[in-house]
Coordinates of all heavy atoms in Angstrom, one line a residue:
M114 N 6.7 -14.3 -6.5 CA 5.6 -13.8 -5.7 C 4.6 -13.1 -6.7 O 5.1 -12.5 -7.6 CB 6.0 -12.8 -4.8 CG 6.8 -13.4 -3.7 SD 7.3 -12.1 -2.4 CE 8.8 -12.8 -1.7
K115 N 3.3 -13.3 -6.5 CA 2.4 -12.8 -7.5 C 1.3 -12.1 -6.7 O 0.8 -12.7 -5.7 CB 1.9 -13.8 -8.5 CG 1.1 -14.9 -7.8 CD 0.7 -15.9 -9.1 CE -0.4 -16.8 -8.5 NZ -0.9 -17.6 -9.6
P116 N 0.8 -11.0 -7.3 CA -0.4 -10.4 -6.6 C -1.7 -11.1 -6.9 O -1.8 -11.6 -7.9 CB -0.3 -9.0 -7.2 CG 0.3 -9.1 -8.5 CD 1.3 -10.3 -8.4
N117 N -2.6 -11.0 -6.0 CA -3.9 -11.5 -6.3 C -4.9 -10.2 -6.4 O -4.4 -9.2 -6.3 CB -4.5 -12.5 -5.3 CG -4.7 -11.9 -3.9 OD1 -4.9 -10.7 -3.7 ND2 -4.7 -12.8 -2.9
N118 N -6.0 -10.4 -6.6 CA -7.0 -9.3 -6.9 C -7.4 -8.4 -5.7 O -7.8 -7.4 -5.9 CB -8.3 -9.9 -7.4 CG -8.2 -10.5 -8.7 OD1 -7.3 -10.3 -9.4 ND2 -9.1 -11.5 -9.0
N119 N -6.9 -8.8 -4.5 CA -7.2 -8.0 -3.2 C -6.0 -7.3 -2.8 O -5.9 -6.9 -1.6 CB -7.8 -9.0 -2.1 CG -9.1 -9.6 -2.5 OD1 -9.9 -9.0 -3.2 ND2 -9.3 -10.8 -2.2
Y120 N -5.1 -7.1 -3.6 CA -3.8 -6.4 -3.3 C -3.1 -7.2 -2.2 O -2.3 -6.5 -1.4 CB -4.1 -4.9 -2.8 CG -4.8 -4.2 -4.0 CD1 -6.0 -3.9 -3.9 CD2 -4.0 -3.6 -5.0 CE1 -6.7 -3.3 -4.9 CE2 -4.6 -3.0 -6.1 CZ -5.9 -2.8 -6.0 OH -6.6 -2.1 -7.1
Y121 N -3.1 -8.4 -2.2 CA -2.3 -9.2 -1.4 C -1.5 -10.0 -2.3 O -1.8 -10.5 -3.4 CB -3.1 -10.2 -0.5 CG -3.7 -9.6 0.7 CD1 -4.9 -8.9 0.6 CD2 -3.1 -9.5 1.9 CE1 -5.4 -8.2 1.7 CE2 -3.5 -8.8 2.9 CZ -4.7 -8.3 2.9 OH -5.3 -7.6 4.0
C122 N -0.2 -10.3 -1.9 CA 0.8 -11.1 -2.6 C 0.9 -12.5 -2.0 O 0.7 -12.5 -0.8 CB 2.1 -10.5 -2.9 SG 2.0 -9.0 -3.9
T123 N 1.4 -13.5 -2.6 CA 1.6 -14.7 -1.9 C 3.0 -15.3 -2.3 O 3.3 -15.2 -3.6 CB 0.5 -15.7 -2.4 OG1 -0.8 -15.2 -2.1 CG2 0.7 -17.2 -1.7
A124 N 3.8 -15.6 -1.4 CA 5.1 -16.3 -1.7 C 4.8 -17.7 -1.5 O 4.5 -18.3 -0.5 CB 6.0 -15.7 -0.5
A125 N 5.0 -18.4 -2.7 CA 4.9 -19.8 -2.8 C 6.1 -20.6 -2.2 O 7.2 -20.2 -2.4 CB 4.7 -20.3 -4.1
L126 N 5.8 -21.7 -1.3 CA 6.9 -22.3 -0.7 C 6.5 -23.9 -1.0 O 5.5 -24.2 -1.5 CB 6.8 -22.1 0.8 CG 7.1 -20.7 1.1 CD1 6.5 -20.1 2.4 CD2 8.6 -20.4 1.0
T127 N 7.6 -24.6 -0.7 CA 7.5 -26.1 -1.0 C 6.7 -26.9 -0.1 O 6.4 -28.1 -0.6 CB 9.0 -26.6 -1.2 OG1 9.5 -26.5 0.1 CG2 9.7 -26.0 -2.3
S128 N 6.5 -26.5 1.0 CA 5.7 -27.3 1.9 C 5.0 -26.5 3.1 O 5.4 -25.3 3.2 CB 6.6 -28.4 2.7 OG 7.6 -27.7 3.5
L129 N 4.1 -27.0 3.8 CA 3.5 -26.3 4.9 C 4.6 -26.1 5.9 O 4.5 -25.0 6.6 CB 2.4 -27.4 5.5 CG 1.7 -26.7 6.7 CD1 1.1 -25.4 6.6 CD2 0.8 -27.7 7.4
T130 N 5.5 -27.0 6.2 CA 6.6 -26.6 7.1 C 7.4 -25.5 6.8 O 7.7 -24.7 7.7 CB 7.7 -28.0 7.1 OG1 6.8 -29.2 7.6 CG2 8.7 -27.7 8.1
Y131 N 7.7 -25.1 5.6 CA 8.4 -24.1 5.1 C 7.6 -22.7 5.2 O 8.0 -21.7 5.5 CB 9.0 -24.1 3.7 CG 10.4 -24.8 3.7 CD1 10.5 -26.0 3.1 CD2 11.4 -24.3 4.1 CE1 11.7 -26.8 3.0 CE2 12.6 -24.8 4.2 CZ 12.8 -26.1 3.6 OH 14.0 -26.8 3.6
A132 N 6.4 -23.0 5.0 CA 5.3 -21.9 5.2 C 5.3 -21.4 6.6 O 5.4 -20.2 6.9 CB 3.9 -22.2 4.7
M133 N 5.3 -22.4 7.5 CA 5.3 -22.1 8.9 C 6.6 -21.4 9.3 O 6.6 -20.5 10.1 CB 5.1 -23.4 9.8 CG 3.6 -23.8 9.5 SD 3.4 -25.5 10.2 CE 3.4 -25.2 11.9
K134 N 7.7 -21.9 8.8 CA 9.0 -21.3 9.2 C 9.0 -19.8 8.6 O 9.6 -19.0 9.3 CB 10.2 -22.1 8.5 CG 10.4 -23.3 9.3 CD 11.5 -24.1 8.6 CE 11.8 -25.5 9.3 NZ 13.0 -26.3 8.7
A135 N 8.5 -19.6 7.3 CA 8.5 -18.3 6.8 C 7.7 -17.4 7.6 O 8.1 -16.2 8.0 CB 8.0 -18.4 5.4
Q136 N 6.5 -17.8 8.0 CA 5.6 -17.0 8.9 C 6.3 -16.6 10.2 O 6.2 -15.5 10.7 CB 4.3 -17.6 9.2 CG 3.3 -16.8 9.8 CD 2.1 -17.5 10.1 OE1 1.9 -18.6 10.5 NE2 0.9 -16.8 9.8
K137 N 7.1 -17.5 10.8 CA 7.8 -17.3 12.2 C 8.9 -16.2 11.9 O 9.1 -15.4 12.7 CB 8.3 -18.7 12.6 CG 8.9 -18.5 13.9 CD 9.4 -20.0 14.4 CE 10.0 -19.6 15.9 NZ 10.5 -21.0 16.4
A138 N 9.6 -16.4 10.8 CA 10.6 -15.5 10.5 C 10.1 -14.1 10.3 O 10.8 -13.2 10.7 CB 11.4 -16.0 9.2
L139 N 9.1 -14.0 9.6 CA 8.4 -12.6 9.3 C 7.9 -12.0 10.6 O 8.1 -11.0 10.7 CB 7.4 -12.8 8.2 CG 7.8 -13.3 6.9 CD1 6.5 -13.6 6.0 CD2 8.7 -12.2 6.2
F140 N 7.3 -12.9 11.4 CA 6.7 -12.2 12.8 C 7.8 -11.8 13.5 O 7.8 -10.9 14.3 CB 6.0 -13.5 13.4 CG 5.3 -13.0 14.7 CD1 4.3 -12.2 14.8 CD2 5.9 -13.4 15.9 CE1 3.6 -11.8 15.9 CE2 5.3 -12.9 17.1 CZ 4.2 -12.1 17.0
A141 N 9.0 -12.5 13.5 CA 10.1 -12.1 14.3 C 10.7 -10.7 13.9 O 11.3 -10.0 14.8 CB 11.4 -13.1 14.1
V142 N 10.5 -10.2 12.7 CA 10.9 -8.9 12.3 C 9.7 -8.0 12.2 O 9.8 -7.0 11.6 CB 11.7 -8.9 11.0 CG1 13.1 -9.7 11.3 CG2 11.0 -9.6 9.9
G143 N 8.5 -8.4 12.8 CA 7.4 -7.5 12.9 C 6.6 -7.6 11.6 O 5.8 -6.4 11.5
L144 N 6.6 -8.5 10.8 CA 5.8 -8.5 9.7 C 4.7 -9.7 9.6 O 5.1 -10.8 9.9 CB 6.7 -8.8 8.4 CG 7.7 -7.7 8.1 CD1 8.7 -8.2 7.0 CD2 7.1 -6.4 7.6
R145 N 3.5 -9.2 9.5 CA 2.4 -10.2 9.5 C 2.1 -10.9 8.3 O 2.2 -10.2 7.2 CB 1.2 -9.5 10.0 CG 0.0 -10.4 10.3 CD -1.2 -9.4 10.8 NE -2.5 -10.3 11.0 CZ -3.1 -11.0 10.2 NH1 -2.5 -11.3 8.9 NH2 -4.1 -11.6 10.5
S146 N 1.8 -12.2 8.3 CA 1.4 -12.9 7.1 C 0.6 -14.0 7.5 O 0.3 -14.4 8.7 CB 2.7 -13.5 6.5 OG 3.3 -14.5 7.3
D147 N -0.2 -14.6 6.6 CA -1.0 -15.6 6.7 C -0.6 -16.8 6.0 O -0.3 -16.6 4.7 CB -2.5 -15.2 6.3 CG -3.1 -14.2 7.2 OD1 -2.9 -14.3 8.5 OD2 -3.5 -13.2 6.6
I148 N -0.7 -18.0 6.3 CA -0.4 -19.2 5.7 C -1.7 -19.5 4.8 O -2.7 -19.6 5.3 CB -0.1 -20.4 6.5 CG1 1.3 -20.0 7.2 CG2 0.0 -21.6 5.7 CD1 1.7 -21.0 8.4
V149 N -1.6 -19.8 3.5 CA -2.5 -20.2 2.6 C -2.3 -21.5 1.9 O -1.0 -21.7 1.5 CB -2.9 -19.0 1.7 CG1 -3.4 -17.8 2.4 CG2 -1.7 -18.6 0.8
K150 N -3.2 -22.3 1.6 CA -3.0 -23.4 0.7 C -3.4 -23.0 -0.7 O -4.2 -22.3 -0.9 CB -4.0 -24.5 1.1 CG -3.8 -25.8 0.3 CD -4.4 -27.0 0.9 CE -4.4 -28.2 0.1 NZ -3.1 -28.6 -0.5
L151 N -2.4 -23.3 -1.6 CA -2.5 -22.9 -2.9 C -3.2 -23.9 -3.8 O -3.0 -25.2 -3.5 CB -0.9 -22.6 -3.5 CG -0.2 -21.6 -2.8 CD1 1.1 -21.4 -3.4 CD2 -0.9 -20.2 -2.8
S152 N -3.9 -23.5 -4.7 CA -4.6 -24.6 -5.6 C -3.7 -25.1 -6.6 O -2.6 -24.5 -6.9 CB -5.8 -24.0 -6.3 OG -5.3 -22.8 -7.1
A153 N -3.9 -26.3 -6.9 CA -3.1 -27.0 -7.9 C -2.9 -26.2 -9.1 O -3.9 -25.6 -9.6 CB -3.6 -28.4 -8.3
G154 N -1.8 -26.0 -9.6 CA -1.5 -25.2 -10.9 C -1.5 -23.7 -10.6 O -1.1 -22.9 -11.6
S155 N -1.6 -23.2 -9.3 CA -1.3 -21.8 -9.0 C 0.0 -21.3 -8.9 O 0.3 -20.2 -8.9 CB -2.2 -21.3 -7.9 OG -1.7 -22.0 -6.7
S156 N 1.0 -22.3 -8.9 CA 2.4 -22.0 -8.8 C 3.2 -22.8 -10.0 O 2.7 -23.8 -10.3 CB 3.0 -22.3 -7.4 OG 3.0 -23.6 -7.1
K157 N 4.2 -22.3 -10.2 CA 5.1 -22.8 -11.2 C 5.7 -24.1 -11.0 O 5.9 -25.0 -11.8 CB 6.2 -21.9 -11.7 CG 5.6 -20.6 -12.4 CD 6.8 -19.7 -12.6 CE 6.2 -18.4 -13.3 NZ 7.2 -17.3 -13.4
R158 N 5.9 -24.3 -9.6 CA 6.8 -25.5 -9.2 C 5.8 -26.6 -8.5 O 6.3 -27.4 -7.9 CB 7.9 -25.1 -8.2 CG 8.9 -24.2 -8.9 CD 9.9 -23.8 -7.9 NE 9.3 -22.8 -7.0 CZ 9.9 -22.5 -5.8 NH1 11.0 -23.0 -5.5 NH2 9.2 -21.6 -5.0
G159 N 4.6 -26.3 -8.6 CA 3.6 -27.3 -7.9 C 3.6 -27.2 -6.4 O 3.3 -28.0 -5.7
C160 N 4.0 -26.0 -6.0 CA 4.0 -25.9 -4.5 C 2.5 -25.8 -4.0 O 1.7 -25.4 -4.7 CB 4.5 -24.4 -4.1 SG 6.2 -24.1 -4.8
E161 N 2.4 -26.2 -2.7 CA 1.0 -26.3 -2.2 C 0.7 -25.3 -1.2 O -0.4 -25.1 -0.9 CB 0.8 -27.7 -1.7 CG 0.8 -28.8 -2.7 CD 0.4 -30.1 -2.3 OE1 -0.4 -30.1 -1.4 OE2 1.0 -31.0 -2.8
Y162 N 1.7 -24.6 -0.6 CA 1.4 -23.7 0.5 C 2.3 -22.4 0.2 O 3.3 -22.4 -0.5 CB 1.9 -24.2 1.9 CG 0.8 -25.4 2.3 CD1 1.1 -26.6 1.9 CD2 -0.3 -25.0 3.0 CE1 0.2 -27.7 2.3 CE2 -1.2 -26.0 3.4 CZ -1.0 -27.2 3.0 OH -1.8 -28.2 3.5
G163 N 1.8 -21.4 0.9 CA 2.5 -20.1 0.8 C 2.2 -19.2 1.9 O 1.2 -19.4 2.8
V164 N 2.9 -18.0 1.9 CA 2.4 -17.0 3.0 C 1.9 -15.8 2.1 O 2.5 -15.4 1.2 CB 3.6 -16.6 3.9 CG1 3.9 -17.7 4.8 CG2 4.9 -16.1 3.1
Q165 N 0.9 -15.2 2.6 CA 0.2 -14.2 2.1 C 0.4 -12.9 2.7 O 0.2 -12.9 4.1 CB -1.4 -14.4 1.9 CG -2.1 -13.6 0.9 CD -3.6 -14.0 0.8 OE1 -4.2 -14.1 1.7 NE2 -3.9 -14.3 -0.5
F166 N 0.5 -11.7 2.1 CA 0.8 -10.5 2.8 C 0.5 -9.3 1.9 O 0.2 -9.5 0.8 CB 2.2 -10.4 3.2 CG 3.2 -10.7 1.9 CD1 3.5 -9.6 1.1 CD2 3.6 -12.0 1.6 CE1 4.3 -9.9 -0.1 CE2 4.3 -12.2 0.5 CZ 4.6 -11.2 -0.3
P167 N 0.3 -8.1 2.5 CA 0.0 -7.0 1.7 C 1.1 -6.7 0.7 O 2.3 -6.8 1.0 CB -0.1 -5.8 2.6 CG -0.4 -6.5 4.0 CD 0.3 -7.8 4.0
C168 N 0.8 -6.6 -0.6 CA 1.8 -6.3 -1.7 C 2.7 -5.2 -1.4 O 3.9 -5.3 -1.8 CB 1.2 -6.1 -3.0 SG 0.3 -7.6 -3.6
E169 N 2.3 -4.1 -0.7 CA 3.2 -3.0 -0.5 C 4.4 -3.4 0.5 O 5.3 -2.7 0.5 CB 2.5 -1.8 0.1 CG 1.9 -2.1 1.7 CD 0.4 -2.2 1.7 OE1 -0.3 -2.3 0.6 OE2 0.0 -2.1 2.8
L170 N 4.3 -4.5 1.0 CA 5.4 -5.1 1.9 C 6.3 -6.0 1.2 O 7.1 -6.7 1.9 CB 4.9 -5.7 3.2 CG 4.0 -4.9 4.0 CD1 3.5 -5.7 5.3 CD2 4.9 -3.6 4.6
E171 N 6.1 -6.2 -0.1 CA 6.9 -7.3 -0.8 C 8.4 -7.2 -0.6 O 9.1 -8.2 -0.4 CB 6.5 -7.2 -2.3 CG 7.2 -8.5 -3.1 CD 6.7 -8.6 -4.5 OE1 5.8 -7.7 -4.9 OE2 7.2 -9.4 -5.2
E172 N 8.9 -6.1 -0.8 CA 10.4 -5.9 -0.7 C 10.9 -6.3 0.6 O 11.9 -7.0 0.9 CB 10.9 -4.5 -1.2 CG 10.7 -4.3 -2.7 CD 11.4 -5.4 -3.5 OE1 12.4 -5.8 -3.3 OE2 10.7 -5.9 -4.5
Q173 N 10.1 -5.8 1.7 CA 10.5 -6.1 3.1 C 10.4 -7.6 3.3 O 11.4 -8.2 3.9 CB 9.6 -5.4 4.0 CG 9.9 -3.9 4.1 CD 8.9 -3.3 5.0 OE1 7.7 -3.1 4.6 NE2 9.2 -3.0 6.3
I174 N 9.4 -8.2 2.9 CA 9.1 -9.7 3.0 C 10.3 -10.4 2.4 O 10.8 -11.3 2.8 CB 7.9 -10.1 2.4 CG1 6.6 -9.4 3.0 CG2 7.7 -11.7 2.4 CD1 6.3 -10.0 4.4
K175 N 10.6 -10.1 1.0 CA 11.7 -10.8 0.4 C 13.0 -10.6 1.1 O 13.7 -11.7 1.3 CB 12.0 -10.0 -1.0 CG 10.9 -10.5 -2.1 CD 11.2 -9.8 -3.3 CE 10.2 -10.0 -4.4 NZ 10.5 -9.3 -5.8
R176 N 13.4 -9.5 1.6 CA 14.6 -9.4 2.5 C 14.6 -10.3 3.7 O 15.7 -10.8 3.9 CB 14.8 -7.9 2.8 CG 15.3 -7.0 1.7 CD 15.9 -5.7 2.2 NE 14.7 -4.9 2.7 CZ 13.9 -4.1 2.1 NH1 14.1 -3.9 0.8 NH2 13.0 -3.3 2.6
A177 N 13.5 -10.2 4.4 CA 13.4 -10.8 5.7 C 13.5 -12.5 5.3 O 14.1 -13.2 6.0 CB 11.9 -10.7 6.2
L178 N 12.9 -12.9 4.3 CA 12.9 -14.4 4.0 C 14.4 -14.7 3.5 O 14.8 -15.7 3.9 CB 11.8 -14.8 2.9 CG 10.4 -14.7 3.4 CD1 9.4 -15.0 2.3 CD2 10.1 -15.5 4.5
R179 N 15.0 -13.9 2.7 CA 16.3 -14.2 2.3 C 17.3 -14.2 3.4 O 18.1 -15.1 3.5 CB 16.7 -13.1 1.3 CG 16.6 -13.5 -0.2 CD 17.2 -12.6 -1.2 NE 16.0 -11.9 -1.9 CZ 15.9 -10.6 -2.0 NH1 16.8 -9.7 -1.5 NH2 14.9 -10.1 -2.6
S180 N 17.1 -13.2 4.4 CA 18.0 -13.2 5.5 C 17.8 -14.4 6.4 O 18.7 -14.8 7.3 CB 18.0 -11.9 6.2 OG 16.7 -11.7 6.8
S181 N 16.7 -15.1 6.4 CA 16.3 -16.2 7.1 C 16.7 -17.6 6.4 O 16.6 -18.6 6.9 CB 15.0 -16.2 7.5 OG 14.6 -15.1 8.2
G182 N 17.3 -17.3 5.2 CA 17.7 -18.6 4.4 C 16.4 -19.3 3.8 O 16.5 -20.6 3.5
I183 N 15.4 -18.6 3.7 CA 14.1 -19.3 3.1 C 14.0 -18.8 1.6 O 13.8 -17.7 1.4 CB 12.9 -18.9 4.0 CG1 13.1 -19.4 5.3 CG2 11.6 -19.5 3.3 CD1 12.0 -18.9 6.3
G184 N 14.0 -19.8 0.8 CA 13.9 -19.4 -0.7 C 12.4 -19.5 -1.0 O 11.6 -20.3 -0.5
V185 N 12.0 -18.5 -1.8 CA 10.6 -18.4 -2.3 C 10.7 -18.7 -3.9 O 11.4 -18.3 -4.6 CB 10.1 -16.9 -2.1 CG1 8.7 -16.9 -2.4 CG2 10.3 -16.7 -0.5

Protein backbone atom coordinates (compact mmCIF):
# COMPACT_ATOMS: atom_id res chain seq x y z
CA MET A 1 0.00 0.00 0.00
CA LYS A 2 1.35 3.39 -0.80
CA PRO A 3 0.18 6.91 0.06
CA ASN A 4 -0.64 9.46 -2.61
CA ASN A 5 -0.44 13.24 -2.30
CA ASN A 6 -3.98 13.65 -0.93
CA TYR A 7 -3.46 11.51 2.19
CA TYR A 8 -5.18 8.57 0.58
CA CYS A 9 -3.60 5.16 0.29
CA THR A 10 -4.25 2.56 -2.36
CA ALA A 11 -4.17 -1.20 -1.95
CA ALA A 12 -3.19 -2.67 -5.32
CA LEU A 13 -5.03 -5.81 -6.38
CA THR A 14 -4.67 -8.20 -9.29
CA SER A 15 -8.00 -7.51 -10.99
CA LEU A 16 -11.21 -5.53 -10.94
CA THR A 17 -12.95 -8.59 -9.51
CA TYR A 18 -10.62 -8.64 -6.49
CA ALA A 19 -11.01 -4.89 -6.06
CA MET A 20 -14.78 -5.36 -5.94
CA LYS A 21 -14.45 -8.22 -3.43
CA ALA A 22 -12.14 -6.10 -1.30
CA GLN A 23 -14.54 -3.16 -1.35
CA LYS A 24 -17.41 -5.44 -0.35
CA ALA A 25 -15.37 -6.97 2.51
CA LEU A 26 -14.41 -3.51 3.77
CA PHE A 27 -17.98 -2.26 3.56
CA ALA A 28 -19.12 -5.28 5.60
CA VAL A 29 -16.97 -4.09 8.52
CA GLY A 30 -17.93 -0.44 8.13
CA LEU A 31 -14.91 0.79 6.16
CA ARG A 32 -15.46 2.89 3.07
CA SER A 33 -13.22 2.64 0.02
CA ASP A 34 -13.26 3.55 -3.65
CA ILE A 35 -12.18 1.35 -6.53
CA VAL A 36 -9.55 3.01 -8.69
CA LYS A 37 -7.86 2.06 -11.94
CA LEU A 38 -4.11 2.21 -11.53
CA SER A 39 -1.88 3.54 -14.26
CA ALA A 40 0.62 1.19 -15.85
CA GLY A 41 3.79 1.13 -13.80
CA SER A 42 2.19 2.46 -10.62
CA SER A 43 2.37 -0.93 -8.96
CA LYS A 44 5.21 -3.40 -8.61
CA ARG A 45 3.26 -6.36 -9.93
CA GLY A 46 1.54 -4.75 -12.89
CA CYS A 47 -1.79 -4.62 -11.06
CA GLU A 48 -4.44 -2.56 -12.74
CA TYR A 49 -7.01 -1.92 -9.99
CA GLY A 50 -7.02 -1.12 -6.32
CA VAL A 51 -9.08 0.22 -3.45
CA GLN A 52 -8.39 3.72 -2.18
CA PHE A 53 -9.00 4.83 1.40
CA PRO A 54 -7.85 7.42 3.96
CA CYS A 55 -4.30 6.54 5.05
CA GLU A 56 -5.22 6.80 8.73
CA LEU A 57 -7.30 3.62 8.26
CA GLU A 58 -4.44 1.60 6.75
CA GLU A 59 -4.01 -0.84 9.64
CA GLN A 60 -7.76 -1.46 9.90
CA ILE A 61 -7.94 -1.98 6.13
CA LYS A 62 -5.03 -4.45 6.20
CA ARG A 63 -6.63 -6.45 9.01
CA ALA A 64 -10.02 -6.51 7.31
CA LEU A 65 -8.58 -7.64 3.99
CA ARG A 66 -6.37 -10.29 5.61
CA SER A 67 -9.30 -11.67 7.59
CA SER A 68 -11.30 -11.87 4.35
CA GLY A 69 -8.51 -13.80 2.64
CA ILE A 70 -7.69 -10.99 0.21
CA GLY A 71 -3.99 -10.50 -0.44
CA VAL A 72 -2.75 -7.02 -1.24
